[in-house]
Amino acid sequence: MLFKKHLLIVWLLFASINICNAQIEVAHVTSKNFTSTGFGGFLNFAIPVAETTYITLEGDLQYFKNKYDEELVLVPVLAATAIR
């Protein structure tokens, strides 16, 4: 049973390679009393539902830490449909 779970996970990873884009990013945030340069990662999945229509899922994680050891984590998420 454990082998089947591992096989399913590996299959899902290989299947997602065709529909996934990823990038690592460096960003700068300035807010009321917080300024910092940080880093993050971004994932984009475009799943085709018809010949010219896609469902797009995007997720991002950004981490910032300023000189006073205050931390800020941003996690924006987007779900949309696109016609190409």
Side-chain angles (χ1 to χ4, degrees), residues 15-72:
S16 69
I17 289 172
N18 292 330
I19 60 173
C20 179
N21 295 313
Q23 66 185 8
I24 297 173
E25 58 191 10
V26 175
H28 184 78
V29 66
T30 302
S31 186
K32 203 170 197 173
N33 292 320
F34 189 90
T35 299
S36 178
T37 299
F39 62 92
F42 174 82
L43 285 175
N44 175 294
F45 292 93
I47 303 164
V49 292
E51 190 173 321
T52 60
T53 306
Y54 292 83
I55 294 176
T56 302
L57 302 170
E58 296 179 358
D60 194 0
L61 177 89
Q62 297 175 343
Y63 175 79
F64 303 95
K65 188 173 185 178
N66 67 5
K67 61 184 177 183
Y68 304 111
D69 288 335
E70 298 171 327
E71 298 175 333
L72 174 65

